[in-house]
Coordinates of all heavy atoms in Angstrom, one line a residue:
N23 N -0.7 -1.5 -51.0 CA 0.2 -0.3 -51.0 C 0.9 -0.2 -49.6 O 2.1 0.1 -49.6 CB -0.6 1.0 -51.3 CG -1.0 1.0 -52.7 OD1 -0.5 0.3 -53.6 ND2 -2.0 1.9 -53.0
M24 N 0.2 -0.4 -48.5 CA 0.8 -0.3 -47.2 C 1.8 -1.4 -47.1 O 2.9 -1.1 -46.5 CB -0.3 -0.4 -46.1 CG -1.2 0.8 -46.1 SD -2.4 0.9 -44.7 CE -3.0 -0.7 -44.5
H25 N 1.5 -2.6 -47.6 CA 2.5 -3.7 -47.5 C 3.8 -3.3 -48.3 O 4.9 -3.6 -47.8 CB 1.9 -5.0 -48.0 CG 2.8 -6.1 -47.9 ND1 3.2 -6.7 -46.7 CD2 3.4 -6.9 -48.9 CE1 4.0 -7.7 -47.0 NE2 4.1 -7.9 -48.3
R26 N 3.6 -2.8 -49.5 CA 4.8 -2.4 -50.3 C 5.6 -1.3 -49.6 O 6.8 -1.3 -49.6 CB 4.3 -1.9 -51.6 CG 3.9 -3.0 -52.6 CD 3.5 -2.4 -53.9 NE 3.1 -3.5 -54.8 CZ 2.5 -3.2 -56.0 NH1 2.3 -2.0 -56.4 NH2 2.1 -4.3 -56.7
M27 N 4.9 -0.3 -49.0 CA 5.7 0.7 -48.3 C 6.4 0.1 -47.0 O 7.5 0.5 -46.8 CB 4.7 1.9 -47.8 CG 4.1 2.7 -49.0 SD 5.4 3.3 -50.2 CE 6.3 4.4 -49.2
E28 N 5.8 -0.8 -46.3 CA 6.5 -1.4 -45.2 C 7.7 -2.2 -45.7 O 8.7 -2.2 -45.0 CB 5.5 -2.3 -44.5 CG 4.4 -1.6 -43.7 CD 3.4 -2.5 -43.1 OE1 3.5 -3.8 -43.2 OE2 2.4 -2.0 -42.5
E29 N 7.5 -2.9 -46.8 CA 8.7 -3.7 -47.3 C 9.8 -2.7 -47.7 O 11.0 -3.0 -47.5 CB 8.2 -4.5 -48.6 CG 7.4 -5.7 -48.2 CD 6.9 -6.4 -49.5 OE1 7.0 -5.9 -50.6 OE2 6.4 -7.6 -49.3
R30 N 9.4 -1.6 -48.3 CA 10.4 -0.6 -48.8 C 11.2 -0.1 -47.6 O 12.4 0.0 -47.6 CB 9.7 0.5 -49.5 CG 10.6 1.6 -50.0 CD 10.7 1.5 -51.4 NE 11.7 2.5 -51.9 CZ 12.1 2.6 -53.1 NH1 11.6 1.7 -54.0 NH2 13.0 3.5 -53.5
R31 N 10.4 0.3 -46.5 CA 11.1 0.8 -45.3 C 12.0 -0.2 -44.7 O 13.2 0.1 -44.3 CB 10.1 1.3 -44.3 CG 9.5 2.6 -44.6 CD 8.7 3.2 -43.5 NE 7.8 4.2 -44.0 CZ 6.5 4.1 -44.2 NH1 5.9 2.9 -44.0 NH2 5.8 5.0 -44.7
A32 N 11.6 -1.5 -44.6 CA 12.4 -2.5 -44.1 C 13.6 -2.8 -44.9 O 14.7 -3.0 -44.4 CB 11.6 -3.8 -44.0
N33 N 13.5 -2.7 -46.2 CA 14.6 -2.8 -47.1 C 15.6 -1.7 -46.9 O 16.8 -1.9 -46.9 CB 14.1 -2.9 -48.6 CG 15.3 -3.2 -49.5 OD1 16.1 -4.1 -49.2 ND2 15.3 -2.5 -50.6
E34 N 15.1 -0.5 -46.8 CA 16.0 0.7 -46.5 C 16.7 0.5 -45.2 O 17.9 0.8 -45.0 CB 15.3 2.0 -46.6 CG 14.9 2.3 -48.0 CD 14.0 3.6 -48.1 OE1 13.6 4.2 -47.0 OE2 13.6 4.0 -49.2
E35 N 16.0 0.0 -44.2 CA 16.7 -0.3 -42.9 C 17.8 -1.3 -43.0 O 18.8 -1.2 -42.4 CB 15.6 -0.7 -41.8 CG 14.8 0.4 -41.3 CD 15.5 1.5 -40.6 OE1 16.5 1.2 -39.8 OE2 15.3 2.7 -40.8
R36 N 17.5 -2.4 -43.8 CA 18.5 -3.4 -43.9 C 19.7 -2.9 -44.6 O 20.8 -3.4 -44.4 CB 17.9 -4.6 -44.8 CG 17.1 -5.6 -44.0 CD 16.8 -6.8 -44.8 NE 16.1 -6.6 -46.0 CZ 14.8 -6.5 -46.2 NH1 14.0 -6.6 -45.1 NH2 14.2 -6.2 -47.3
H37 N 19.6 -1.9 -45.5 CA 20.7 -1.4 -46.3 C 21.3 -0.2 -45.6 O 22.2 0.4 -46.2 CB 20.3 -1.1 -47.7 CG 20.0 -2.3 -48.5 ND1 18.8 -2.9 -48.6 CD2 20.9 -3.1 -49.2 CE1 18.8 -4.0 -49.3 NE2 20.1 -4.1 -49.7
A38 N 20.9 0.2 -44.4 CA 21.5 1.3 -43.7 C 22.9 0.9 -43.3 O 23.2 -0.2 -43.0 CB 20.7 1.7 -42.5
T39 N 23.8 1.9 -43.4 CA 25.2 1.7 -43.0 C 25.3 1.5 -41.5 O 24.4 1.8 -40.7 CB 26.1 2.9 -43.4 OG1 25.7 4.0 -42.6 CG2 26.0 3.1 -44.9
V40 N 26.4 0.9 -41.0 CA 26.6 0.7 -39.6 C 26.6 2.0 -38.9 O 25.9 2.1 -37.8 CB 27.9 -0.1 -39.4 CG1 28.3 -0.1 -37.9 CG2 27.9 -1.4 -40.0
S41 N 27.2 3.0 -39.4 CA 27.2 4.3 -38.7 C 25.8 4.9 -38.6 O 25.4 5.5 -37.6 CB 28.1 5.3 -39.4 OG 27.7 5.6 -40.7
E42 N 24.9 4.7 -39.7 CA 23.6 5.2 -39.6 C 22.8 4.4 -38.5 O 22.0 5.1 -37.8 CB 22.9 5.0 -41.0 CG 23.4 6.0 -42.0 CD 22.8 5.7 -43.4 OE1 22.5 4.5 -43.7 OE2 22.8 6.6 -44.2
R43 N 23.0 3.1 -38.4 CA 22.3 2.3 -37.4 C 22.7 2.7 -36.0 O 21.9 2.9 -35.1 CB 22.5 0.8 -37.7 CG 21.9 0.3 -38.9 CD 22.1 -1.1 -39.0 NE 21.8 -1.6 -40.4 CZ 21.9 -2.8 -40.8 NH1 22.4 -3.7 -40.1 NH2 21.5 -3.1 -42.0
V44 N 24.0 2.9 -35.8 CA 24.5 3.3 -34.5 C 24.0 4.7 -34.2 O 23.5 4.9 -33.0 CB 26.1 3.3 -34.5 CG1 26.6 4.0 -33.3 CG2 26.6 1.9 -34.6
S45 N 24.1 5.6 -35.1 CA 23.6 7.0 -34.9 C 22.1 7.0 -34.5 O 21.7 7.6 -33.6 CB 23.8 7.8 -36.1 OG 23.3 9.1 -35.9
D46 N 21.3 6.2 -35.3 CA 19.9 6.1 -35.0 C 19.6 5.5 -33.6 O 18.7 6.0 -32.9 CB 19.1 5.3 -36.0 CG 19.0 6.0 -37.4 OD1 19.2 7.2 -37.4 OD2 18.7 5.3 -38.4
A47 N 20.4 4.5 -33.2 CA 20.2 3.9 -31.9 C 20.5 4.8 -30.8 O 19.8 5.0 -29.8 CB 21.0 2.6 -31.8
I48 N 21.6 5.5 -30.9 CA 22.1 6.5 -29.9 C 21.0 7.6 -29.8 O 20.7 8.1 -28.7 CB 23.5 7.0 -30.2 CG1 24.5 5.9 -30.0 CG2 23.8 8.2 -29.3 CD1 25.9 6.3 -30.5
T49 N 20.6 8.1 -31.0 CA 19.6 9.2 -31.0 C 18.3 8.8 -30.3 O 17.7 9.5 -29.6 CB 19.4 9.7 -32.4 OG1 20.6 10.2 -33.0 CG2 18.4 10.8 -32.5
R50 N 17.9 7.5 -30.7 CA 16.7 7.0 -30.1 C 16.8 6.9 -28.5 O 15.9 7.3 -27.8 CB 16.4 5.6 -30.7 CG 14.9 5.3 -30.9 CD 14.7 4.0 -31.6 NE 15.7 3.1 -31.9 CZ 16.4 3.0 -33.0 NH1 16.1 3.8 -34.1 NH2 17.4 2.1 -33.2
F51 N 18.0 6.4 -28.1 CA 18.2 6.3 -26.6 C 18.3 7.7 -26.0 O 17.7 7.9 -24.9 CB 19.4 5.5 -26.3 CG 19.8 5.4 -24.9 CD1 18.9 4.8 -24.0 CD2 20.9 6.1 -24.4 CE1 19.2 4.7 -22.6 CE2 21.2 6.0 -23.0 CZ 20.3 5.3 -22.1
A52 N 19.0 8.6 -26.6 CA 19.2 10.0 -26.0 C 17.9 10.7 -26.0 O 17.7 11.6 -25.2 CB 20.2 10.7 -26.9
G53 N 16.9 10.3 -26.8 CA 15.6 11.0 -26.8 C 14.6 10.2 -25.9 O 13.4 10.5 -26.0
S54 N 15.0 9.4 -25.0 CA 14.1 8.6 -24.1 C 14.2 9.1 -22.7 O 15.1 9.8 -22.2 CB 14.5 7.1 -24.2 OG 15.8 6.9 -23.5
M55 N 13.1 8.8 -21.9 CA 13.1 9.1 -20.5 C 14.1 8.3 -19.7 O 14.6 8.8 -18.7 CB 11.7 8.8 -19.9 CG 10.7 9.9 -20.3 SD 11.2 11.6 -19.8 CE 11.3 11.5 -18.1
T56 N 14.5 7.1 -20.2 CA 15.6 6.4 -19.5 C 16.9 7.2 -19.5 O 17.5 7.3 -18.5 CB 15.8 5.0 -20.3 OG1 14.5 4.3 -20.3 CG2 16.8 4.2 -19.6
F57 N 17.2 7.8 -20.6 CA 18.4 8.7 -20.8 C 18.3 9.8 -19.8 O 19.3 10.1 -19.1 CB 18.5 9.2 -22.2 CG 19.7 10.0 -22.4 CD1 20.9 9.5 -22.7 CD2 19.6 11.4 -22.4 CE1 22.0 10.3 -23.0 CE2 20.7 12.2 -22.7 CZ 21.9 11.7 -22.9
V58 N 17.1 10.4 -19.7 CA 17.0 11.6 -18.8 C 17.1 11.1 -17.3 O 17.8 11.8 -16.5 CB 15.6 12.2 -19.0 CG1 15.3 13.3 -17.9 CG2 15.5 12.8 -20.4
I59 N 16.5 10.0 -17.0 CA 16.6 9.5 -15.6 C 18.0 9.1 -15.2 O 18.5 9.5 -14.1 CB 15.6 8.3 -15.4 CG1 14.2 8.8 -15.5 CG2 15.9 7.6 -14.1 CD1 13.2 7.7 -15.6
I60 N 18.7 8.4 -16.1 CA 20.1 8.0 -15.9 C 21.0 9.3 -15.7 O 21.8 9.4 -14.7 CB 20.7 7.2 -17.0 CG1 20.0 5.8 -17.0 CG2 22.2 7.1 -17.0 CD1 20.3 5.0 -18.3
H61 N 20.8 10.3 -16.5 CA 21.6 11.5 -16.4 C 21.2 12.3 -15.1 O 22.1 12.8 -14.4 CB 21.4 12.4 -17.6 CG 22.4 12.0 -18.7 ND1 22.2 10.9 -19.4 CD2 23.5 12.6 -19.1 CE1 23.2 10.7 -20.3 NE2 24.0 11.8 -20.2
A62 N 19.9 12.3 -14.8 CA 19.5 13.0 -13.6 C 20.2 12.4 -12.3 O 20.7 13.1 -11.4 CB 18.0 13.1 -13.4
L63 N 20.1 11.0 -12.3 CA 20.7 10.3 -11.2 C 22.3 10.5 -11.2 O 22.9 10.8 -10.1 CB 20.4 8.8 -11.2 CG 18.9 8.5 -11.0 CD1 18.6 7.0 -11.3 CD2 18.5 8.9 -9.6
A64 N 22.9 10.3 -12.3 CA 24.4 10.4 -12.4 C 24.8 11.8 -12.0 O 25.8 12.0 -11.2 CB 24.9 10.0 -13.8
Y65 N 24.3 12.8 -12.6 CA 24.7 14.2 -12.4 C 24.3 14.6 -10.9 O 25.0 15.3 -10.3 CB 24.1 15.2 -13.4 CG 24.7 15.1 -14.8 CD1 24.0 15.4 -15.9 CD2 26.0 14.7 -14.9 CE1 24.5 15.3 -17.1 CE2 26.6 14.6 -16.2 CZ 25.9 14.9 -17.3 OH 26.4 14.9 -18.5
G66 N 23.2 14.1 -10.5 CA 22.7 14.4 -9.1 C 23.7 13.8 -8.1 O 24.1 14.5 -7.1
A67 N 24.1 12.6 -8.4 CA 25.1 11.9 -7.5 C 26.5 12.6 -7.5 O 27.1 12.9 -6.5 CB 25.3 10.5 -7.9
W68 N 26.9 13.0 -8.8 CA 28.1 13.7 -8.9 C 28.1 15.0 -8.2 O 29.1 15.3 -7.4 CB 28.3 14.0 -10.4 CG 29.7 14.6 -10.8 CD1 30.2 15.7 -10.4 CD2 30.6 14.1 -11.8 NE1 31.4 16.0 -11.0 CE2 31.7 14.9 -11.9 CE3 30.5 13.0 -12.6 CZ2 32.7 14.7 -12.8 CZ3 31.6 12.7 -13.5 CH2 32.7 13.6 -13.5
I69 N 27.1 15.8 -8.3 CA 26.9 17.0 -7.6 C 26.9 16.8 -6.1 O 27.6 17.5 -5.3 CB 25.7 17.8 -8.1 CG1 25.9 18.3 -9.5 CG2 25.4 19.0 -7.2 CD1 24.7 18.8 -10.2
A70 N 26.1 15.9 -5.6 CA 26.0 15.6 -4.2 C 27.3 15.2 -3.6 O 27.7 15.7 -2.5 CB 25.0 14.5 -3.9
V71 N 28.1 14.3 -4.3 CA 29.4 13.9 -3.8 C 30.3 15.1 -3.7 O 31.1 15.3 -2.7 CB 30.0 12.8 -4.7 CG1 31.5 12.6 -4.4 CG2 29.2 11.5 -4.4
N72 N 30.3 15.9 -4.8 CA 31.3 17.0 -4.9 C 30.9 18.2 -4.0 O 31.7 19.1 -3.8 CB 31.6 17.4 -6.3 CG 32.4 16.3 -7.0 OD1 33.6 16.1 -6.6 ND2 31.8 15.5 -7.9
L73 N 29.7 18.3 -3.5 CA 29.3 19.3 -2.6 C 29.7 18.8 -1.2 O 29.5 19.6 -0.2 CB 27.8 19.6 -2.7 CG 27.4 20.4 -3.9 CD1 25.9 20.5 -3.9 CD2 28.0 21.8 -3.9
G74 N 30.1 17.6 -1.0 CA 30.5 17.0 0.3 C 29.3 16.6 1.1 O 29.4 16.5 2.3
T75 N 28.1 16.3 0.5 CA 26.9 16.0 1.2 C 26.8 14.5 1.4 O 25.8 14.0 2.1 CB 25.7 16.5 0.5 OG1 25.6 16.0 -0.8 CG2 25.7 18.1 0.5
V76 N 27.7 13.7 0.8 CA 27.6 12.2 0.9 C 28.6 11.8 1.9 O 29.8 11.9 1.6 CB 27.8 11.5 -0.4 CG1 27.7 10.0 -0.3 CG2 26.8 12.0 -1.5
P77 N 28.2 11.3 3.1 CA 29.2 10.9 4.2 C 30.0 9.8 3.7 O 29.6 8.8 3.0 CB 28.3 10.5 5.3 CG 26.9 10.9 5.0 CD 26.8 11.1 3.6
G78 N 31.3 9.9 4.0 CA 32.3 8.8 3.7 C 32.8 8.8 2.3 O 33.6 8.0 1.9
V79 N 32.3 9.8 1.4 CA 32.8 9.9 0.0 C 33.5 11.2 -0.1 O 32.9 12.2 0.2 CB 31.7 9.7 -1.0 CG1 32.2 9.8 -2.4 CG2 30.9 8.4 -0.8
R80 N 34.7 11.2 -0.5 CA 35.5 12.4 -0.7 C 35.2 13.1 -2.0 O 35.2 12.4 -3.0 CB 37.0 12.0 -0.6 CG 37.9 13.2 -0.3 CD 39.3 12.7 0.0 NE 40.2 13.6 -0.7 CZ 41.3 13.3 -1.3 NH1 41.6 12.1 -1.4 NH2 42.0 14.2 -1.9
P81 N 35.0 14.4 -2.0 CA 34.8 15.1 -3.3 C 36.0 14.9 -4.2 O 37.1 15.0 -3.8 CB 34.6 16.5 -2.9 CG 34.2 16.5 -1.5 CD 34.9 15.3 -0.9
F82 N 35.7 14.7 -5.5 CA 36.8 14.5 -6.5 C 36.8 15.6 -7.6 O 37.7 15.7 -8.4 CB 36.7 13.1 -7.2 CG 35.4 12.8 -7.8 CD1 35.1 13.1 -9.2 CD2 34.3 12.3 -7.1 CE1 33.9 12.9 -9.7 CE2 33.1 12.0 -7.7 CZ 32.9 12.3 -9.0
D83 N 35.7 16.4 -7.6 CA 35.6 17.5 -8.6 C 34.9 18.7 -7.9 O 33.8 19.0 -8.3 CB 34.8 17.0 -9.8 CG 34.7 18.0 -10.9 OD1 35.5 18.9 -11.0 OD2 33.8 17.9 -11.7
P84 N 35.5 19.2 -6.9 CA 34.8 20.3 -6.1 C 34.4 21.5 -6.9 O 33.5 22.2 -6.6 CB 35.7 20.6 -5.0 CG 37.0 20.1 -5.4 CD 36.8 19.0 -6.4
S85 N 35.2 21.8 -8.0 CA 34.9 23.0 -8.8 C 33.9 22.7 -9.9 O 33.5 23.6 -10.7 CB 36.2 23.6 -9.3 OG 36.8 22.7 -10.2
F86 N 33.6 21.4 -10.1 CA 32.7 20.9 -11.2 C 33.3 21.2 -12.6 O 32.5 21.1 -13.6 CB 31.3 21.5 -11.1 CG 30.6 21.2 -9.8 CD1 30.5 22.2 -8.8 CD2 30.1 19.9 -9.6 CE1 29.9 21.8 -7.6 CE2 29.5 19.6 -8.4 CZ 29.4 20.6 -7.4
V87 N 34.6 21.4 -12.7 CA 35.2 21.6 -14.0 C 35.1 20.3 -14.8 O 34.8 20.3 -16.0 CB 36.6 22.1 -13.9 CG1 37.4 22.1 -15.2 CG2 36.7 23.4 -13.2
V88 N 35.4 19.2 -14.2 CA 35.3 17.9 -14.9 C 33.9 17.6 -15.4 O 33.7 17.1 -16.5 CB 35.9 16.8 -14.1 CG1 35.8 15.4 -14.8 CG2 37.4 17.0 -13.7
L89 N 32.9 17.9 -14.5 CA 31.5 17.7 -14.9 C 31.2 18.5 -16.1 O 30.5 18.0 -17.0 CB 30.6 18.0 -13.7 CG 29.1 17.9 -13.9 CD1 28.7 16.4 -14.3 CD2 28.3 18.3 -12.7
A90 N 31.6 19.8 -16.1 CA 31.3 20.7 -17.2 C 31.9 20.2 -18.5 O 31.3 20.2 -19.5 CB 31.7 22.1 -16.8
M91 N 33.2 19.7 -18.4 CA 33.9 19.2 -19.5 C 33.2 18.0 -20.1 O 33.0 17.8 -21.3 CB 35.3 18.9 -19.2 CG 36.1 18.4 -20.4 SD 37.8 17.9 -20.0 CE 37.4 16.4 -19.0
E92 N 32.8 17.1 -19.2 CA 32.1 15.8 -19.6 C 30.8 16.1 -20.2 O 30.5 15.6 -21.3 CB 31.9 14.9 -18.4 CG 31.4 13.5 -18.7 CD 29.9 13.5 -18.9 OE1 29.2 14.3 -18.2 OE2 29.4 12.7 -19.7
A93 N 30.1 17.0 -19.7 CA 28.8 17.4 -20.3 C 28.9 18.1 -21.6 O 28.2 17.8 -22.6 CB 28.0 18.3 -19.3
S94 N 30.0 18.9 -21.8 CA 30.2 19.5 -23.1 C 30.6 18.5 -24.1 O 30.1 18.6 -25.3 CB 31.3 20.6 -22.9 OG 30.9 21.6 -22.1
V95 N 31.5 17.6 -23.8 CA 31.9 16.6 -24.8 C 30.7 15.7 -25.1 O 30.5 15.4 -26.3 CB 33.1 15.7 -24.2 CG1 33.4 14.5 -25.1 CG2 34.3 16.6 -24.1
E96 N 29.9 15.3 -24.2 CA 28.7 14.5 -24.4 C 27.8 15.3 -25.4 O 27.2 14.7 -26.3 CB 28.0 14.2 -23.1 CG 26.8 13.3 -23.4 CD 26.0 13.0 -22.1 OE1 25.8 13.9 -21.3 OE2 25.7 11.8 -21.9
A97 N 27.6 16.6 -25.1 CA 26.7 17.4 -26.0 C 27.2 17.4 -27.4 O 26.4 17.4 -28.3 CB 26.6 18.8 -25.4
I98 N 28.5 17.6 -27.6 CA 29.1 17.6 -28.9 C 28.8 16.3 -29.6 O 28.3 16.3 -30.8 CB 30.6 17.8 -28.8 CG1 30.9 19.3 -28.4 CG2 31.3 17.5 -30.2 CD1 32.4 19.5 -28.0
F99 N 29.0 15.2 -29.0 CA 28.8 13.9 -29.6 C 27.3 13.6 -29.9 O 26.9 13.2 -31.0 CB 29.4 12.7 -28.8 CG 30.9 12.6 -29.1 CD1 31.8 13.0 -28.1 CD2 31.3 12.0 -30.2 CE1 33.1 12.9 -28.4 CE2 32.7 11.9 -30.5 CZ 33.6 12.3 -29.5
L100 N 26.5 14.0 -28.9 CA 25.0 13.8 -29.1 C 24.5 14.6 -30.2 O 23.7 14.1 -31.0 CB 24.3 14.1 -27.8 CG 24.3 13.0 -26.7 CD1 23.5 13.4 -25.5 CD2 23.7 11.7 -27.2
S101 N 24.9 15.9 -30.3 CA 24.4 16.7 -31.4 C 24.9 16.2 -32.7 O 24.2 16.3 -33.7 CB 24.9 18.2 -31.2 OG 26.3 18.3 -31.2
T102 N 26.1 15.6 -32.8 CA 26.6 15.0 -34.1 C 25.7 13.8 -34.4 O 25.3 13.7 -35.6 CB 28.0 14.6 -33.9 OG1 28.8 15.8 -33.6 CG2 28.6 14.0 -35.2
F103 N 25.4 13.0 -33.5 CA 24.6 11.8 -33.8 C 23.2 12.3 -34.2 O 22.6 11.7 -35.2 CB 24.5 10.9 -32.6 CG 25.7 10.1 -32.3 CD1 26.3 10.2 -31.1 CD2 26.3 9.3 -33.3 CE1 27.5 9.5 -30.8 CE2 27.5 8.6 -33.1 CZ 28.1 8.7 -31.8
V104 N 22.6 13.3 -33.6 CA 21.3 13.8 -34.0 C 21.3 14.3 -35.4 O 20.4 14.1 -36.2 CB 20.8 14.9 -33.0 CG1 19.6 15.6 -33.5 CG2 20.5 14.2 -31.6
L105 N 22.4 15.1 -35.7 CA 22.5 15.6 -37.1 C 22.6 14.5 -38.1 O 22.0 14.6 -39.2 CB 23.7 16.5 -37.2 CG 23.6 17.9 -36.5 CD1 24.9 18.6 -36.5 CD2 22.5 18.7 -37.1
I106 N 23.4 13.4 -37.8 CA 23.5 12.3 -38.8 C 22.1 11.7 -39.0 O 21.7 11.4 -40.1 CB 24.5 11.2 -38.2 CG1 25.9 11.8 -38.2 CG2 24.4 10.0 -39.0 CD1 26.9 10.9 -37.5
S107 N 21.4 11.5 -37.9 CA 20.0 10.9 -38.0 C 19.1 11.9 -38.8 O 18.3 11.4 -39.6 CB 19.4 10.6 -36.6 OG 20.2 9.6 -36.0
Q108 N 19.2 13.2 -38.5 CA 18.3 14.1 -39.2 C 18.6 14.2 -40.7 O 17.7 14.3 -41.5 CB 18.5 15.5 -38.6 CG 17.8 15.7 -37.3 CD 17.9 17.1 -36.7 OE1 18.9 17.8 -37.0 NE2 17.0 17.5 -35.8

Side-chain angles (χ1 to χ4, degrees):
N23 290 344
M24 290 187 319
H25 181 67
R26 285 181 179 171
M27 293 307 295
E28 288 171 6
E29 286 177 348
R30 178 108 185 174
R31 282 190 200 104
N33 188 42
E34 287 175 359
E35 285 296 319
R36 279 193 300 275
H37 290 91
T39 65
V40 173
S41 64
E42 289 172 334
R43 290 180 194 179
V44 168
S45 176
D46 288 346
I48 291 171
T49 301
R50 217 174 8 260
F51 176 67
S54 71
M55 281 307 296
T56 302
F57 181 84
V58 171
I59 292 168
I60 289 170
H61 277 72
L63 293 173
Y65 288 150
W68 188 303
I69 291 168
V71 165
N72 288 293
L73 287 176
T75 59
V76 179
V79 180
R80 197 170 140 221
F82 56 91
D83 183 23
S85 64
F86 299 106
V87 171
V88 177
L89 177 63
M91 182 187 67
E92 185 280 328
S94 297
V95 170
E96 181 183 45
I98 291 168
F99 279 103
L100 282 178
S101 62
T102 302
F103 288 124
V104 168
L105 289 172
I106 292 168
S107 293
Q108 284 181 336

